[in-house]
Amino acid sequence: MFQIDCPWCGPRDQSEFAYAGEGGIKRPEDPSALTDAEWADYLFMRQNPRGRHHEQWRHVHGCGQFFDVVRQTVTYRIESVDLPGRPALANASGEVR
Amino acid sequence: MKNRYSIFSLARNALSHHEKWDRAWRSPEPQPAYDVIIIGAGGHGLATAYYLAKEHGITNVAVVEKGWLGGGNTARNTTIVRSNYLYDESAHLFEKSLKLWEGLSQELNYNVMFSQRGVYNLGHTLQEMRDIHRRVNANRLNGIDSEVVDARQIKQEVPIINTSPDARYPILGASLQRRAGTARHDGVAWGYARAADARGVDIIENCEVTNILRDGGRVTGVETTRGTIKAKKVGIVVAGHSGVLADMAGFRLPVESHPLQALVSEPVKPVLDTVIMSNAVHGYISQSDKGELVIGAGIDSYNGYGQRGSFNIIEETIAAIKEMFPMFSRMRMLRHWGGIVDTTPDATPIIGKTPVDNLFINCGWGTGGFKATPGSGWVFAHTLATGEPHPINAPFSLDRYTTGYLVDEHGAAGVAH
């Protein structure tokens, strides 16, 4: 149980949001040029770290916007929230596990 | 087995006030090298070790465990066992497992309290009932006992259930597998541990793997908190932490780890003699032999390793249980916990080779691994012993995500396992 600080609406209960998977995954520029293994890597393979995780959330019961979050997957503590495409990973310091 | 459990050993030990029972398994120091190392002493890992020794004669085996034996998801599930999966691949795997369950207590000389009390998977909409008919027919073609029951029959067999058409999600019918049921989760781990130990397997607790050693694309052993252990082959069977171990070995998995919660009530007199599951309202419930209601919830949507989940998930589950069983509305819940489940994109496990030679993985059981414990160990032991998957687990390879041959049980088996 935790709160998420929506960049548009402010802090709200996590149950207002929908988890939208790992963040920062870029769709390949030219999918048809990829091998099957590269395509599978894009489509299915995930980081799934025990520690700091860059992920996306959507405020489904609010503004409906997607945004990026950096969150600890053991303590569930949120380190930062940022607009999509501007992952705050760069601001987060130190290796935390 | 040196100390066989029987009515006579019980009587003999009663004379000494049950103070002279031998330890059920040893606690050995790790040897410098083994033929096979299995990472993770949960049900699946211990079953793998047991079948390696029994079916393949490989006894120079260590099972290393970071905590204590059976302390992860083996101790955190809701103990449901069934095999009525839709697709042939899953049906064969889970039915193999169910057949092993049926003789397990005798085979291990350990009472795993396997109780074939039946499992009902409820349908609340016409579409769900159509899916149930389809799945039941598929099951019967695969030789798995399965039947469709209507609401009237459910009410006859489970009188406390609310089959009123006025319910928010009325119960229209169910699929029923009478050979399905529950088992004592800890007993399964203990039984396999004892039987594997008796055949010479070393079970090494409090020994966390910190690195997987490789040499030229081939696994050579593991580094642990109790020193380096060499091995010819290594099997990863660590459920929720599969991604962490894969990261150590330098490959990626299509796995995401989520919290999954369950809870039990105060014990009451026998009131529910079967297992009821509902995917639509997402709750599942049975009554343990102690009398507690055992209730399972859904996973939290986000990734998490915290072994705890969100309160709103519990609230939704309890609401669903109350809707199905109004008489439970004043039951008090005593304990609540979470485990970490490793979910895959097609809700189907990965059992087979990895990109590293002689390193094998058994993971991705998501919310439904307990029922598969014997079968999972049996096929994984074959894979470790021969280096190749058994025909039963061949479809569950990691490279199915590249070939596109997914076993998509998501809609079919439902989210509740």
Side-chain angles (χ1 to χ4, degrees):
Chain A
M1 202 80 182
F2 48 88
Q3 283 197 334
I4 298 174
D5 193 2
C6 173
W8 286 274
C9 311
R12 299 291 176 85
D13 195 278
Q14 170 253 313
S15 60
E16 286 191 17
F17 298 83
Y19 180 67
E22 185 178 324
I25 298 176
K26 283 210 178 73
R27 188 181 166 83
E29 296 279 332
D30 183 9
S32 56
L34 299 185
T35 63
D36 287 351
E38 287 167 335
W39 182 247
D41 192 73
Y42 158 71
L43 203 57
F44 294 122
M45 301 298 161
R46 294 293 178 263
Q47 298 286 348
N48 197 29
R50 180 185 162 88
R52 185 196 292 139
H53 190 222
H54 173 198
E55 59 198 21
Q56 308 175 99
W57 287 79
R58 185 179 181 214
H59 196 181
V60 281
H61 298 298
C63 60
Q65 302 277 3
F66 282 91
F67 54 92
D68 282 26
V69 170
V70 175
R71 186 177 59 92
Q72 289 288 333
T73 58
V74 179
T75 62
Y76 303 166
R77 190 173 64 84
I78 289 177
E79 290 189 355
S80 57
V81 175
D82 209 338
L83 302 181
R86 287 201 311 164
L89 268 181
N91 313 338
S93 60
E95 179 63 22
V96 190
R97 283 183 90 95
Chain B
M1 204 166 291
K2 196 170 55 141
N3 297 294
R4 222 185 134 68
Y5 294 159
S6 67
I7 183 84
F8 304 107
S9 71
L10 193 62
R12 197 166 54 246
N13 279 282
L15 296 176
S16 53
H17 305 282
H18 296 296
E19 286 170 355
K20 293 190 176 160
W21 285 102
D22 284 331
R23 292 179 69 103
W25 53 84
R26 298 164 296 134
S27 184
E29 285 298 312
Q31 300 293 314
Y34 289 93
D35 289 342
V36 178
I37 290 179
I38 295 161
I39 307 172
H44 289 231
L46 294 165
T48 305
Y50 169 72
Y51 291 115
L52 266 178
K54 182 192 167 227
E55 305 281 346
H56 305 282
I58 301 173
T59 55
N60 186 19
V61 175
V63 186
V64 296
E65 164 60 47
K66 75 170 175 178
W68 60 90
L69 180 162
N73 288 355
T74 301
R76 294 164 192 270
N77 60 78
T78 49
T79 79
I80 298 167
V81 176
R82 63 185 180 89
S83 69
N84 52 355
Y85 278 67
L86 175 67
Y87 291 115
D88 293 351
E89 295 86 351
S90 335
H92 295 157
L93 177 63
F94 288 102
E95 179 62 14
K96 170 72 192 171
S97 195
L98 184 52
K99 290 216 168 80
L100 289 169
W101 275 113
E102 286 175 329
L104 198 59
S105 290
Q106 288 75 16
E107 180 175 346
L108 298 179
N109 178 230
Y110 200 99
N111 187 4
V112 300
M113 296 167 72
F114 180 48
S115 158
Q116 293 179 294
R117 58 184 66 183
V119 171
Y120 294 78
N121 292 92
L122 301 180
H124 300 263
T125 64
L126 283 176
Q127 184 57 46
E128 259 195 299
M129 289 312 297
R130 291 187 194 110
D131 290 342
I132 282 172
H133 276 279
R134 179 185 177 213
R135 183 159 51 80
V136 166
N137 288 334
N139 293 156
R140 296 172 85 134
L141 287 171
N142 275 318
I144 296 169
D145 73 305
S146 196
E147 55 193 281
V148 180
V149 291
D150 62 13
R152 201 173 49 87
Q153 193 182 342
I154 297 173
K155 184 74 181 169
Q156 263 175 10
E157 297 188 12
V158 189
I160 60 171
I161 203 165
N162 174 20
T163 51
S164 159
D166 299 329
R168 174 67 183 82
Y169 298 100
I171 293 165
L172 303 183
S175 74
L176 167 60
Q177 186 180 20
R178 293 196 190 272
R179 284 166 62 236
T182 61
R184 170 97 167 92
H185 50 350
D186 296 326
V188 178
W190 298 334
Y192 272 122
R194 177 168 166 269
D197 179 88
R199 288 174 184 267
V201 171
D202 283 0
I203 300 164
I204 303 159
E205 296 171 277
N206 299 310
C207 180
E208 181 172 359
V209 170
T210 53
N211 198 9
I212 293 177
L213 303 172
R214 287 157 291 150
D215 183 17
R218 169 182 289 261
V219 76
T220 57
V222 294
E223 263 174 35
T224 75
T225 48
R226 293 175 68 175
T228 300
I229 313 175
K230 297 282 183 188
K232 293 177 188 152
K233 292 175 181 173
V234 176
I236 301 173
V237 200
V238 296
H241 284 73
S242 300
V244 178
L245 271 290
D247 194 39
M248 287 179 197
F251 65 95
R252 269 152 69 82
L253 285 177
V255 161
E256 292 189 287
S257 298
H258 294 272
L260 175 67
Q261 303 174 88
L263 59 168
V264 294
S265 74
E266 58 192 332
V268 290
K269 288 189 176 174
V271 65
L272 183 63
D273 64 357
T274 184
V275 182
I276 306 282
M277 311 177 68
S278 168
N279 292 337
V281 298
H282 214 142
Y284 35 110
I285 184 166
S286 63
Q287 188 173 23
S288 75
D289 292 347
K290 271 192 288 183
E292 303 154 325
L293 299 177
V294 182
I295 297 169
I299 60 168
D300 275 286
S301 62
Y302 52 83
N303 287 25
Y305 285 86
Q307 295 191 326
R308 65 190 183 285
S310 304
F311 183 74
N312 56 304
I313 300 281
I314 290 294
E315 199 174 16
E316 285 159 19
T317 299
I318 292 295
I321 296 295
K322 237 189 84 175
E323 175 77 11
M324 288 192 283
F325 300 98
M327 72 180 293
F328 293 159
S329 66
R330 276 169 290 170
M331 289 288 287
R332 278 166 295 200
M333 295 299 144
L334 285 194
R335 298 194 309 281
H336 151 244
W337 63 91
I340 311 166
V341 297
D342 45 345
T343 59
T344 58
D346 52 353
T348 289
I350 299 164
I351 319 165
K353 298 182 189 183
T354 70
V356 180
D357 286 347
N358 289 350
L359 178 66
F360 302 87
I361 193 158
N362 182 347
C363 72
W365 291 93
T367 58
F370 176 73
K371 69 172 77 64
T373 304
S376 161
W378 194 89
V379 296
F380 197 48
H382 179 99
T383 308
L384 278 164
T386 64
E388 293 294 327
H390 188 274
I392 292 177
N393 68 314
F396 299 94
S397 66
L398 180 56
D399 70 7
R400 73 176 183 269
Y401 297 99
T402 307
T403 62
Y405 197 102
L406 303 185
V407 186
D408 190 2
E409 282 287 347
H410 236 303
V415 276
H417 279 52

